[in-house]
Structure formats: structure tokens, C-alpha cells
């Protein structure tokens, strides 16, 4: 595998950054997880847009333009002959001193890794997931805004550890008011009749790109889509529940905190949305 670092390609074993990079020392940086399907990079513009929004929020100057980043992602995929896979785009604050101050960092670093991802076992897509709500609440907007896709993922990792301890792959995180926010690496949806519901972004979730795509697909299928505040009660009493994410795509949830959701099997609308998502992903995106 060849890894892109600051304009050059390195073999996997030589793809290294400094121990003084503030991305490592303080989690000071941002990233995107992107998918390629069938020789195209899906939703690349949206991912690069979101990277620039995250950069703006943390006052980080990405050393490449939108167009240059697009070309770099495509070049990294092509260098690795990747037609199908997962791309990790990272921008770190760069090499600095042993102190928090980002002004002491010389220049942000851009890293692109194009490889494969296996997030959840395939049987979870056919049988559905069993997930739990955890005690770790989602970050406050006024602290580390969850909309920033930063390298500081400890909030999510703490929740993931709780999920693991409960024998689950994913965890529902509530916000400080007790409303459902999202999962550790996925957005959450429920279906009630012909209604598709997902927490509002103000509940403390990432502005998920898969979330937006699935909402569009649902509207096209005639579902009524809304974003109300949701509680665990709403989840427990849903007809169907699923999670979305670039890596996860659309994954059904059949049990939450011991409560069986709907029929206890992946619901028909969830399965239909996953199918439509695959269809769309396989025929659109930046060509490689
Ligand atoms: N929430 C969190 C916390 C995430 O890290 C992610 C991405 N893995 C998502 C939601 C899903 O976002 P997207 O659909 O843009 O991948």
C-alpha cells in the first residue's frame, strides 16, 4: 500500500509522521472516512466540504485547495489500484512544541490512506444488531462541538468501551438533556408507520453524509422525514431502527437495552433503504 503524506507517496512501512505532531500529542486535527464503490468515490465533494467546515471550526488552514484535495484522493486510490474500499483523509495541526499552542506548529500535514474496511460482521446486516445506551453523554456544543470531525474521538471511544463491556458493537449516546444524540460512529434512525425519524443535529450528532443521503432516498420513496428530539422510549417503540455511516452504510438494529424493536428482525423499509443506498453508491461519485 502507498500512503499519501504532504504531496508524496510512501510505502506503508515508511508512512510515518513526527511524534511532535499535535495530531498525536493532543488529537489536534480533523479527518474524513470516505468510500469508493465500483471505481467511483462516493460523495467526495460532501466529504471534502465537511473537512473544510471542520478546519474552519478549529482555525486550521488546510494547505491544499478543495480541487487539489479531490485530485489527491483520486490519485491515492489510483496509486493503490483501489476500485472499491475505504479512504481515510486526515489533516493534522502539524509538528509543534511540547505545549498546546497551535500557533507553534509549523504547517498542517495531509495524510491519505486508501484501503479496506470491515466494520461489522455480515450477519449483523441480515439478522440486525443488538445495542445499548451508555452512560457517557455526547460532548456539548459549547465544549467540543460534535459537528467537528476531529482527531479527538475519546468521547466516542469511551462510549464504545461501554458497548464492548456490554457485549455490543455499538452504543447509543444521549446528550446532556437526555435526548438521543447518535451512536459512537453512526447516526441513528427509527421508522414509525411511513415516518422516518432521526434526532436533529442540535441533539449533538455529526452532520452525517450517509444520514443526508438516506433522508433523500426515504423522501423519494414517499416516506415522511422529520428530525424531532427523540427519547429512548421513542426508540423502544419504533417499528424499525437502523444506523447509518460511511463505513456501516445502513445497518438494522433489532434490540435496544433488552427491548425487542418491531418484529425483532430487520424491517422491510430498512432493507429497502440499504438496497437503494447500494444502487446509488454504485453508480455515482467521482470517477477513478
Ligand atoms: N457519527 C459519528 C460520531 C461518526 O464518526 C460518523 C462517521 N463514522 C457518523 C456519525 C456517520 O457519518 P457519515 O455518514 O458522514 O460517515
Amino acid at each position: 500500500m502507498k500512503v499519501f503524506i504532504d504531496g508524496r507517496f510512501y510505502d506503508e512501512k515508511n508512512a510515518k509522521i513526527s511524534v511532535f505532531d499535535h495530531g498525536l500529542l493532543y488529537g489536534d486535527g480533523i479527518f474524513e472516512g470516505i468510500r469508493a464503490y465500483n471505481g467511483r468515490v462516493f460523495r467526495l465533494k460532501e466529504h471534502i466540504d465537511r473537512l473544510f467546515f471542520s478546519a474552519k471550526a478549529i482555525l486550521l488552514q488546510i494547505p491544499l485547495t478543495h480541487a487539489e484535495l479531490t485530485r489527491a484522493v483520486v490519485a491515492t486510490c489510483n496509486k493503490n489500484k483501489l476500485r472499491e474500499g475505504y479512504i481515510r483523509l486526515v489533516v493534522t495541526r502539524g509538528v509543534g512544541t511540547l505545549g498546546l499552542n497551535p500557533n507553534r506548529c509549523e504547517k498542517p500535514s495531509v495524510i491519505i490512506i486508501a484501503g479496506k474496511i470491515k466494520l461489522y460482521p455480515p450477519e449483523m446486516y441480515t439478522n440486525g444488531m443488538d445495542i445499548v445506551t451508555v452512560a457517557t453523554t455526547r460532548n456539548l456544543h459549547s465544549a467540543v462541538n460534535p459537528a467537528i470531525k476531529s482527531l479527538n474521538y475519546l468521547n466516542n471511544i469511551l462510549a464504545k468501551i461501554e458497548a464492548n463491556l456490554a457485549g455490543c458493537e455499538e452504543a447509543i449516546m444521549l446528550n446532556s438533556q437526555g435526548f438521543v444524540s447518535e451512536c459512537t460512529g453512526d447516526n441513528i434512525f427509527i421508522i414509525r408507520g411511513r415516518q422516518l425519524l432521526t434526532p436533529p443535529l442540535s441533539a449533538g450528532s455529526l452532520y452525517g453524509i450517509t444520514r443526508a443521503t438516506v433522508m433523500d432516498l426515504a423522501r423519494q420513496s414517499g416516506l415522511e422525514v422529520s428530525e424531532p428530539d427523540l427519547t429512548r422510549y421513542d426508540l423502544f417503540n419504533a417499528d424499525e431502527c437502523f444506523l447509518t455511516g460511511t463505513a456501516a452504510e445502513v445497518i438494522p438494529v433489532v434490540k435496544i437495552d433488552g427491548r425487542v424493536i418491531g418484529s425483532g428482525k430487520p424491517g422491510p423499509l430498512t432493507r429497502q433503504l440499504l438496497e437503494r443506498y447500494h444502487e446509488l453508491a454504485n453508480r455515482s461519485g467521482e470517477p477513478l
Side-chain angles (χ1 to χ4, degrees), residues 8 32-33 46 72 84 113 149 187 199 259 268 282:
R8 287 180 58 190
E32 282 296 321
E46 288 80 353
E84 199 91 32
I113 308 166
K149 201 162 168 61
N187 291 108
R259 279 79 160 180
N282 273 288

Side-chain angles (χ1 to χ4, degrees), residues 247-283:
E249 302 175 324
V250 175
I251 186 159
V253 171
V254 292
K255 206 185 244 187
I256 301 174
D257 300 332
R259 279 79 160 180
V260 173
I261 308 303
S263 66
K265 296 205 164 57
L269 294 173
T270 303
R271 275 193 268 121
Q272 198 185 83
L273 284 168
L274 175 58
E275 241 170 66
R276 299 238 159 104
Y277 184 80
H278 276 157
E279 270 170 31
L280 179 68
N282 273 288
R283 68 177 154 79

Side-chain angles (χ1 to χ4, degrees), residues 109-157:
S109 269
V110 178
I111 300 161
I112 307 171
I113 308 166
K116 298 276 169 200
I117 193 164
K118 259 229 144 354
L119 195 65
Y120 301 124
E123 56 272 18
M124 286 199 172
Y125 289 86
T126 40
N127 302 333
M129 277 184 137
D130 176 355
I131 62 175
V132 284
T133 311
V134 294
T136 302
T137 55
R138 194 76 179 101
N139 279 332
L140 293 170
H141 293 107
S142 53
V144 181
N145 193 322
I148 304 169
K149 201 162 168 61
S150 83
L151 295 182
N152 211 306
Y153 249 52
L154 213 43
N155 181 225
N156 314 54
I157 290 166

